[in-house]
Amino acid sequence: MPELPEVETVRRGLAPYFEGSIITRVEQRRPDLRFPFPEDFVGRLTGIRMTSLGRRAKYLTGDMESGDVLVMHLGMSGSFRIELTGPGTPLVDTYYPASKLPQHDHVVFHLVNPDAALESRIIYNDPRRFGFMDLIPRVDLHAHKMFAGMGIEPLGNELDGEYLRTLFDGKKTSLKAALLNQKFIAGLGNIYVCEALWRAGLNPKAPASSICGRGPKQKEKRALLATAIRDVLHEAIEAGGSSLRDHVQTNGSLGYFQHRFAVYDQEGAPCRKPDCSGTILREVQNGRSTFFCSSCQG
DNA sequence: CCGACTACCTGCCCGC
DNA sequence: TGCGGGCAGGTAGTCG
């Protein structure tokens, strides 16, 4: 589920509760998610303050005062929710009787922020368990397998048409597959790749190298694609941000928000580009659904 | 090296 | 109403 905009939305929602808070207790309800939890996960977090919550691509990174970084990935179905537990709040610390633990709540962080007089818990729920958590010493983070070789942040300064040319030059794989490949650009997933290609008017099945030529037409194509990627991510983050307040107020859950897509999951709908009379099609590409316009993405 | 394919896991939706 | 099949927003391992 979560691509970069959703993870950023989750980060913004969790930050006020995680940042500056001491993790007073960790409930780790199973030995693994997608991967085993690291050695002494609970022990290495308990009693430690998180100074800041960051994001790299689709990973959340919590900086702990111990020098560790708490790395969290939501996989396909991971989400967090926030529950206030301090005095005067409706929930108390014994919210879950053992008999009716919510399904798929795998990790519970109990938090106290003494400066803000805030007590809360942050609960990680993940039905499919494709998510994972790890603890990595800060000094090792960039060299770690997870982050070494990871591509650029699409919202950073590097991404433009010419950077795309250097990335995709000579690549015979499809534009779709290249954009999904995290070692080129990190953070895009199936939805936003479909959306960006539609905005740029590019065929998902065209070779990645097809936007790398010297001519003015291809130069324009890659510039358009870079802009489309940035725009669609920015807009989705904005939409997530505007949904944040509602989510926290209603049930505290973070990780899902409604967003209207132009092509994703719109099979059969008319293309929304002005003056385009095409229809949105779905085709399986590399084992995953690609949504694109039959007409304007030639 | 590269690219294509598969596995991991649960839930939901659809058609029979 | 029950059941089987297909599908889901991610990643990593294997194989050619």
Side-chain angles (χ1 to χ4, degrees):
Chain A
M1 157 251 83
E3 304 182 28
L4 186 152
E6 290 76 22
V7 178
E8 177 60 21
T9 299
V10 169
R11 190 197 67 76
R12 292 178 188 187
L14 296 182
Y17 302 90
F18 259 140
E19 290 183 344
S21 287
I22 295 159
I23 300 181
T24 56
R25 189 153 69 92
V26 180
E27 294 174 64
Q28 178 199 323
R29 298 241 170 82
R30 43 177 304 129
D32 55 52
L33 294 170
R34 169 143 202 209
F35 305 115
F37 282 89
E39 193 72 18
D40 198 22
F41 180 72
V42 170
R44 285 165 67 187
L45 288 171
T46 305
I48 312 296
R49 183 194 306 262
M50 182 185 291
T51 52
S52 69
L53 181 66
R55 178 191 57 75
R56 171 75 170 103
K58 304 172 193 172
Y59 295 82
L60 293 170
T61 56
D63 274 296
M64 307 305 298
E65 270 184 352
S66 58
D68 280 331
V69 177
L70 170 60
V71 177
M72 300 179 280
H73 194 288
L74 299 165
M76 296 270 268
S77 60
S79 66
F80 288 95
R81 68 179 194 278
I82 301 160
E83 295 176 354
L84 300 180
T85 55
T89 57
L91 299 170
V92 290
D93 215 29
T94 53
Y95 182 59
Y96 310 116
S99 58
K100 45 190 249 183
L101 283 174
Q103 264 214 312
H104 310 305
D105 278 1
H106 304 306
V107 181
V108 182
F109 299 104
H110 295 261
L111 301 157
V112 171
N113 186 330
D115 305 320
L118 186 64
E119 285 181 41
S120 60
R121 56 179 169 242
I122 291 177
I123 298 130
Y124 179 69
N125 183 285
D126 189 354
R128 292 175 75 180
R129 303 203 304 277
F130 285 176
F132 53 91
M133 297 190 186
D134 205 348
L135 275 171
I136 301 167
R138 179 128 214 49
V139 290
D140 299 336
L141 194 65
H142 291 296
H144 192 277
K145 202 171 74 159
M146 215 179 295
F147 292 93
M150 185 180 282
I152 59 164
E153 281 290 315
L155 297 181
N157 292 326
E158 299 101 318
L159 180 62
D160 59 18
E162 291 323 290
Y163 195 89
L164 283 177
R165 184 180 56 75
T166 63
L167 284 180
F168 292 175
D169 197 23
K171 295 287 183 291
K172 286 192 283 236
T173 195
S174 65
L175 275 171
K176 168 96 186 290
L179 291 172
L180 280 174
N181 190 332
Q182 304 294 301
K183 81 177 183 191
F184 296 140
I185 301 170
L188 300 177
N190 203 30
I191 291 178
Y192 295 105
V193 166
C194 291
E195 295 293 314
L197 286 169
W198 173 79
R199 286 183 182 220
L202 294 169
N203 190 319
K205 288 175 285 189
S209 59
S210 66
I211 61 168
C212 295
R214 295 189 171 278
K217 248 183 143 172
Q218 297 195 31
K219 200 166 172 174
E220 192 196 339
K221 280 185 180 181
R222 55 190 182 248
L224 261 176
L225 180 57
T227 303
I229 291 167
R230 306 177 72 99
D231 287 354
V232 75
L233 295 180
H234 276 302
E235 288 169 29
I237 290 171
E238 218 166 292
S242 62
S243 76
L244 254 189
R245 184 184 311 177
D246 296 339
H247 275 260
V248 175
Q249 277 179 349
T250 52
N251 60 10
S253 74
L254 289 166
Y256 300 87
F257 60 85
Q258 306 303 320
H259 196 261
R260 186 84 188 151
F261 301 115
V263 286
Y264 184 81
D265 210 18
Q266 304 296 319
E267 184 179 15
C271 180
R272 293 157 70 140
K273 272 200 183 153
D275 305 325
C276 180
S277 56
T279 302
I280 306 307
L281 305 180
R282 184 182 81 92
E283 268 182 41
V284 175
Q285 200 180 355
N286 304 329
R288 318 196 54 189
S289 288
T290 295
F291 297 89
F292 64 105
C293 173
S294 59
S295 169
C296 66
Q297 288 183 261

PDB file of all heavy atoms in Angstrom, chain A residues 185-212:
ATOM      1  N   ILE A 185      15.310   5.475  -8.550  1.00  0.00           N
ATOM      2  CA  ILE A 185      14.584   6.477  -7.770  1.00  0.00           C
ATOM      3  C   ILE A 185      13.884   5.704  -6.658  1.00  0.00           C
ATOM      4  O   ILE A 185      13.217   4.710  -6.927  1.00  0.00           O
ATOM      5  CB  ILE A 185      13.541   7.204  -8.634  1.00  0.00           C
ATOM      6  CG1 ILE A 185      14.215   7.895  -9.831  1.00  0.00           C
ATOM      7  CG2 ILE A 185      12.772   8.231  -7.802  1.00  0.00           C
ATOM      8  CD1 ILE A 185      13.234   8.420 -10.854  1.00  0.00           C
ATOM      9  N   ALA A 186      14.031   6.161  -5.435  1.00  0.00           N
ATOM     10  CA  ALA A 186      13.521   5.395  -4.304  1.00  0.00           C
ATOM     11  C   ALA A 186      12.267   6.046  -3.745  1.00  0.00           C
ATOM     12  O   ALA A 186      12.293   7.214  -3.349  1.00  0.00           O
ATOM     13  CB  ALA A 186      14.590   5.277  -3.219  1.00  0.00           C
ATOM     14  N   GLY A 187      11.187   5.299  -3.734  1.00  0.00           N
ATOM     15  CA  GLY A 187       9.963   5.804  -3.122  1.00  0.00           C
ATOM     16  C   GLY A 187       8.727   5.656  -3.991  1.00  0.00           C
ATOM     17  O   GLY A 187       7.617   5.742  -3.492  1.00  0.00           O
ATOM     18  N   LEU A 188       8.945   5.457  -5.291  1.00  0.00           N
ATOM     19  CA  LEU A 188       7.793   5.281  -6.177  1.00  0.00           C
ATOM     20  C   LEU A 188       7.296   3.847  -6.090  1.00  0.00           C
ATOM     21  O   LEU A 188       8.067   2.924  -5.930  1.00  0.00           O
ATOM     22  CB  LEU A 188       8.185   5.579  -7.629  1.00  0.00           C
ATOM     23  CG  LEU A 188       8.711   6.967  -7.928  1.00  0.00           C
ATOM     24  CD1 LEU A 188       9.116   7.073  -9.392  1.00  0.00           C
ATOM     25  CD2 LEU A 188       7.665   8.011  -7.590  1.00  0.00           C
ATOM     26  N   GLY A 189       6.003   3.669  -6.224  1.00  0.00           N
ATOM     27  CA  GLY A 189       5.400   2.352  -6.280  1.00  0.00           C
ATOM     28  C   GLY A 189       4.450   2.287  -7.452  1.00  0.00           C
ATOM     29  O   GLY A 189       4.423   3.183  -8.309  1.00  0.00           O
ATOM     30  N   ASN A 190       3.652   1.248  -7.480  1.00  0.00           N
ATOM     31  CA  ASN A 190       2.823   0.978  -8.660  1.00  0.00           C
ATOM     32  C   ASN A 190       1.855   2.122  -8.971  1.00  0.00           C
ATOM     33  O   ASN A 190       1.658   2.480 -10.126  1.00  0.00           O
ATOM     34  CB  ASN A 190       2.052  -0.324  -8.440  1.00  0.00           C
ATOM     35  CG  ASN A 190       1.638  -0.965  -9.744  1.00  0.00           C
ATOM     36  OD1 ASN A 190       2.324  -0.824 -10.759  1.00  0.00           O
ATOM     37  ND2 ASN A 190       0.508  -1.644  -9.735  1.00  0.00           N
ATOM     38  N   ILE A 191       1.258   2.699  -7.951  1.00  0.00           N
ATOM     39  CA  ILE A 191       0.268   3.750  -8.203  1.00  0.00           C
ATOM     40  C   ILE A 191       0.906   4.982  -8.826  1.00  0.00           C
ATOM     41  O   ILE A 191       0.484   5.452  -9.889  1.00  0.00           O
ATOM     42  CB  ILE A 191      -0.426   4.182  -6.884  1.00  0.00           C
ATOM     43  CG1 ILE A 191      -1.321   3.061  -6.380  1.00  0.00           C
ATOM     44  CG2 ILE A 191      -1.231   5.469  -7.102  1.00  0.00           C
ATOM     45  CD1 ILE A 191      -2.007   3.389  -5.063  1.00  0.00           C
ATOM     46  N   TYR A 192       1.920   5.510  -8.174  1.00  0.00           N
ATOM     47  CA  TYR A 192       2.454   6.798  -8.622  1.00  0.00           C
ATOM     48  C   TYR A 192       3.269   6.676  -9.899  1.00  0.00           C
ATOM     49  O   TYR A 192       3.399   7.648 -10.641  1.00  0.00           O
ATOM     50  CB  TYR A 192       3.206   7.489  -7.483  1.00  0.00           C
ATOM     51  CG  TYR A 192       2.246   7.836  -6.366  1.00  0.00           C
ATOM     52  CD1 TYR A 192       2.225   7.100  -5.189  1.00  0.00           C
ATOM     53  CD2 TYR A 192       1.297   8.826  -6.552  1.00  0.00           C
ATOM     54  CE1 TYR A 192       1.290   7.381  -4.199  1.00  0.00           C
ATOM     55  CE2 TYR A 192       0.362   9.115  -5.569  1.00  0.00           C
ATOM     56  CZ  TYR A 192       0.356   8.382  -4.396  1.00  0.00           C
ATOM     57  OH  TYR A 192      -0.575   8.646  -3.427  1.00  0.00           O
ATOM     58  N   VAL A 193       3.787   5.482 -10.168  1.00  0.00           N
ATOM     59  CA  VAL A 193       4.427   5.269 -11.463  1.00  0.00           C
ATOM     60  C   VAL A 193       3.376   5.347 -12.572  1.00  0.00           C
ATOM     61  O   VAL A 193       3.569   6.032 -13.582  1.00  0.00           O
ATOM     62  CB  VAL A 193       5.175   3.923 -11.493  1.00  0.00           C
ATOM     63  CG1 VAL A 193       5.550   3.542 -12.918  1.00  0.00           C
ATOM     64  CG2 VAL A 193       6.426   3.998 -10.619  1.00  0.00           C
ATOM     65  N   CYS A 194       2.253   4.678 -12.372  1.00  0.00           N
ATOM     66  CA  CYS A 194       1.168   4.759 -13.358  1.00  0.00           C
ATOM     67  C   CYS A 194       0.704   6.199 -13.542  1.00  0.00           C
ATOM     68  O   CYS A 194       0.520   6.670 -14.676  1.00  0.00           O
ATOM     69  CB  CYS A 194      -0.022   3.894 -12.931  1.00  0.00           C
ATOM     70  SG  CYS A 194       0.290   2.116 -12.984  1.00  0.00           S
ATOM     71  N   GLU A 195       0.516   6.883 -12.450  1.00  0.00           N
ATOM     72  CA  GLU A 195       0.022   8.259 -12.517  1.00  0.00           C
ATOM     73  C   GLU A 195       1.027   9.182 -13.223  1.00  0.00           C
ATOM     74  O   GLU A 195       0.646  10.022 -14.038  1.00  0.00           O
ATOM     75  CB  GLU A 195      -0.262   8.780 -11.101  1.00  0.00           C
ATOM     76  CG  GLU A 195      -1.388   8.049 -10.381  1.00  0.00           C
ATOM     77  CD  GLU A 195      -2.757   8.276 -11.021  1.00  0.00           C
ATOM     78  OE1 GLU A 195      -3.088   9.428 -11.333  1.00  0.00           O
ATOM     79  OE2 GLU A 195      -3.481   7.283 -11.217  1.00  0.00           O
ATOM     80  N   ALA A 196       2.295   9.037 -12.884  1.00  0.00           N
ATOM     81  CA  ALA A 196       3.315   9.923 -13.464  1.00  0.00           C
ATOM     82  C   ALA A 196       3.455   9.675 -14.969  1.00  0.00           C
ATOM     83  O   ALA A 196       3.585  10.622 -15.749  1.00  0.00           O
ATOM     84  CB  ALA A 196       4.652   9.720 -12.755  1.00  0.00           C
ATOM     85  N   LEU A 197       3.420   8.411 -15.367  1.00  0.00           N
ATOM     86  CA  LEU A 197       3.547   8.111 -16.800  1.00  0.00           C
ATOM     87  C   LEU A 197       2.348   8.655 -17.571  1.00  0.00           C
ATOM     88  O   LEU A 197       2.486   9.144 -18.690  1.00  0.00           O
ATOM     89  CB  LEU A 197       3.705   6.598 -17.011  1.00  0.00           C
ATOM     90  CG  LEU A 197       5.079   6.041 -16.622  1.00  0.00           C
ATOM     91  CD1 LEU A 197       5.060   4.516 -16.600  1.00  0.00           C
ATOM     92  CD2 LEU A 197       6.163   6.533 -17.579  1.00  0.00           C
ATOM     93  N   TRP A 198       1.187   8.580 -16.967  1.00  0.00           N
ATOM     94  CA  TRP A 198      -0.005   9.136 -17.619  1.00  0.00           C
ATOM     95  C   TRP A 198       0.130  10.658 -17.768  1.00  0.00           C
ATOM     96  O   TRP A 198      -0.111  11.220 -18.833  1.00  0.00           O
ATOM     97  CB  TRP A 198      -1.260   8.791 -16.815  1.00  0.00           C
ATOM     98  CG  TRP A 198      -2.492   9.460 -17.332  1.00  0.00           C
ATOM     99  CD1 TRP A 198      -3.244   9.076 -18.410  1.00  0.00           C
ATOM    100  CD2 TRP A 198      -3.118  10.634 -16.810  1.00  0.00           C
ATOM    101  NE1 TRP A 198      -4.297   9.933 -18.594  1.00  0.00           N
ATOM    102  CE2 TRP A 198      -4.238  10.903 -17.627  1.00  0.00           C
ATOM    103  CE3 TRP A 198      -2.838  11.486 -15.739  1.00  0.00           C
ATOM    104  CZ2 TRP A 198      -5.091  11.990 -17.396  1.00  0.00           C
ATOM    105  CZ3 TRP A 198      -3.674  12.567 -15.511  1.00  0.00           C
ATOM    106  CH2 TRP A 198      -4.787  12.808 -16.338  1.00  0.00           C
ATOM    107  N   ARG A 199       0.538  11.307 -16.704  1.00  0.00           N
ATOM    108  CA  ARG A 199       0.703  12.770 -16.768  1.00  0.00           C
ATOM    109  C   ARG A 199       1.703  13.170 -17.842  1.00  0.00           C
ATOM    110  O   ARG A 199       1.537  14.196 -18.503  1.00  0.00           O
ATOM    111  CB  ARG A 199       1.193  13.305 -15.421  1.00  0.00           C
ATOM    112  CG  ARG A 199       0.130  13.317 -14.362  1.00  0.00           C
ATOM    113  CD  ARG A 199       0.672  13.936 -13.083  1.00  0.00           C
ATOM    114  NE  ARG A 199      -0.354  13.909 -12.041  1.00  0.00           N
ATOM    115  CZ  ARG A 199      -0.580  14.892 -11.180  1.00  0.00           C
ATOM    116  NH1 ARG A 199       0.166  15.980 -11.213  1.00  0.00           N
ATOM    117  NH2 ARG A 199      -1.517  14.780 -10.280  1.00  0.00           N
ATOM    118  N   ALA A 200       2.754  12.362 -17.968  1.00  0.00           N
ATOM    119  CA  ALA A 200       3.805  12.708 -18.934  1.00  0.00           C
ATOM    120  C   ALA A 200       3.454  12.216 -20.339  1.00  0.00           C
ATOM    121  O   ALA A 200       4.196  12.499 -21.286  1.00  0.00           O
ATOM    122  CB  ALA A 200       5.136  12.109 -18.484  1.00  0.00           C
ATOM    123  N   GLY A 201       2.353  11.479 -20.463  1.00  0.00           N
ATOM    124  CA  GLY A 201       1.959  10.982 -21.785  1.00  0.00           C
ATOM    125  C   GLY A 201       2.904   9.940 -22.349  1.00  0.00           C
ATOM    126  O   GLY A 201       3.115   9.870 -23.552  1.00  0.00           O
ATOM    127  N   LEU A 202       3.474   9.124 -21.462  1.00  0.00           N
ATOM    128  CA  LEU A 202       4.449   8.124 -21.897  1.00  0.00           C
ATOM    129  C   LEU A 202       3.887   6.717 -21.761  1.00  0.00           C
ATOM    130  O   LEU A 202       3.161   6.420 -20.810  1.00  0.00           O
ATOM    131  CB  LEU A 202       5.725   8.240 -21.057  1.00  0.00           C
ATOM    132  CG  LEU A 202       6.516   9.535 -21.251  1.00  0.00           C
ATOM    133  CD1 LEU A 202       7.608   9.667 -20.192  1.00  0.00           C
ATOM    134  CD2 LEU A 202       7.126   9.574 -22.654  1.00  0.00           C
ATOM    135  N   ASN A 203       4.273   5.859 -22.680  1.00  0.00           N
ATOM    136  CA  ASN A 203       3.814   4.473 -22.662  1.00  0.00           C
ATOM    137  C   ASN A 203       4.623   3.671 -21.645  1.00  0.00           C
ATOM    138  O   ASN A 203       5.847   3.622 -21.731  1.00  0.00           O
ATOM    139  CB  ASN A 203       3.970   3.864 -24.059  1.00  0.00           C
ATOM    140  CG  ASN A 203       3.290   2.501 -24.160  1.00  0.00           C
ATOM    141  OD1 ASN A 203       3.372   1.692 -23.240  1.00  0.00           O
ATOM    142  ND2 ASN A 203       2.608   2.271 -25.259  1.00  0.00           N
ATOM    143  N   PRO A 204       3.927   3.022 -20.708  1.00  0.00           N
ATOM    144  CA  PRO A 204       4.639   2.270 -19.666  1.00  0.00           C
ATOM    145  C   PRO A 204       5.517   1.156 -20.232  1.00  0.00           C
ATOM    146  O   PRO A 204       6.489   0.753 -19.603  1.00  0.00           O
ATOM    147  CB  PRO A 204       3.503   1.671 -18.824  1.00  0.00           C
ATOM    148  CG  PRO A 204       2.299   2.487 -19.142  1.00  0.00           C
ATOM    149  CD  PRO A 204       2.472   2.992 -20.536  1.00  0.00           C
ATOM    150  N   LYS A 205       5.151   0.678 -21.424  1.00  0.00           N
ATOM    151  CA  LYS A 205       5.903  -0.438 -21.996  1.00  0.00           C
ATOM    152  C   LYS A 205       7.082   0.010 -22.857  1.00  0.00           C
ATOM    153  O   LYS A 205       7.893  -0.804 -23.268  1.00  0.00           O
ATOM    154  CB  LYS A 205       4.959  -1.315 -22.839  1.00  0.00           C
ATOM    155  CG  LYS A 205       4.000  -2.125 -21.974  1.00  0.00           C
ATOM    156  CD  LYS A 205       2.993  -2.880 -22.808  1.00  0.00           C
ATOM    157  CE  LYS A 205       1.924  -1.919 -23.347  1.00  0.00           C
ATOM    158  NZ  LYS A 205       0.793  -2.631 -23.985  1.00  0.00           N
ATOM    159  N   ALA A 206       7.179   1.290 -23.101  1.00  0.00           N
ATOM    160  CA  ALA A 206       8.310   1.779 -23.900  1.00  0.00           C
ATOM    161  C   ALA A 206       9.612   1.523 -23.148  1.00  0.00           C
ATOM    162  O   ALA A 206       9.638   1.542 -21.918  1.00  0.00           O
ATOM    163  CB  ALA A 206       8.133   3.273 -24.163  1.00  0.00           C
ATOM    164  N   PRO A 207      10.685   1.270 -23.869  1.00  0.00           N
ATOM    165  CA  PRO A 207      11.972   1.068 -23.188  1.00  0.00           C
ATOM    166  C   PRO A 207      12.371   2.326 -22.412  1.00  0.00           C
ATOM    167  O   PRO A 207      12.102   3.446 -22.847  1.00  0.00           O
ATOM    168  CB  PRO A 207      12.960   0.830 -24.346  1.00  0.00           C
ATOM    169  CG  PRO A 207      12.135   0.530 -25.541  1.00  0.00           C
ATOM    170  CD  PRO A 207      10.794   1.169 -25.332  1.00  0.00           C
ATOM    171  N   ALA A 208      13.016   2.094 -21.273  1.00  0.00           N
ATOM    172  CA  ALA A 208      13.458   3.228 -20.466  1.00  0.00           C
ATOM    173  C   ALA A 208      14.375   4.143 -21.276  1.00  0.00           C
ATOM    174  O   ALA A 208      14.347   5.365 -21.128  1.00  0.00           O
ATOM    175  CB  ALA A 208      14.172   2.725 -19.208  1.00  0.00           C
ATOM    176  N   SER A 209      15.149   3.539 -22.126  1.00  0.00           N
ATOM    177  CA  SER A 209      16.106   4.321 -22.923  1.00  0.00           C
ATOM    178  C   SER A 209      15.420   5.191 -23.974  1.00  0.00           C
ATOM    179  O   SER A 209      16.079   6.050 -24.575  1.00  0.00           O
ATOM    180  CB  SER A 209      17.094   3.381 -23.612  1.00  0.00           C
ATOM    181  OG  SER A 209      16.384   2.487 -24.448  1.00  0.00           O
ATOM    182  N   SER A 210      14.117   4.988 -24.163  1.00  0.00           N
ATOM    183  CA  SER A 210      13.441   5.733 -25.230  1.00  0.00           C
ATOM    184  C   SER A 210      13.254   7.208 -24.902  1.00  0.00           C
ATOM    185  O   SER A 210      12.795   7.972 -25.739  1.00  0.00           O
ATOM    186  CB  SER A 210      12.076   5.095 -25.533  1.00  0.00           C
ATOM    187  OG  SER A 210      11.210   5.243 -24.426  1.00  0.00           O
ATOM    188  N   ILE A 211      13.588   7.614 -23.691  1.00  0.00           N
ATOM    189  CA  ILE A 211      13.518   9.052 -23.371  1.00  0.00           C
ATOM    190  C   ILE A 211      14.918   9.644 -23.239  1.00  0.00           C
ATOM    191  O   ILE A 211      15.082  10.744 -22.727  1.00  0.00           O
ATOM    192  CB  ILE A 211      12.718   9.318 -22.075  1.00  0.00           C
ATOM    193  CG1 ILE A 211      13.365   8.639 -20.875  1.00  0.00           C
ATOM    194  CG2 ILE A 211      11.262   8.879 -22.234  1.00  0.00           C
ATOM    195  CD1 ILE A 211      12.791   9.086 -19.535  1.00  0.00           C
ATOM    196  N   CYS A 212      15.918   8.892 -23.724  1.00  0.00           N
ATOM    197  CA  CYS A 212      17.301   9.315 -23.478  1.00  0.00           C
ATOM    198  C   CYS A 212      18.005   9.890 -24.703  1.00  0.00           C
ATOM    199  O   CYS A 212      19.190  10.217 -24.640  1.00  0.00           O
ATOM    200  CB  CYS A 212      18.113   8.147 -22.929  1.00  0.00           C
ATOM    201  SG  CYS A 212      17.524   7.605 -21.308  1.00  0.00           S
TER     202      CYS A 212
END
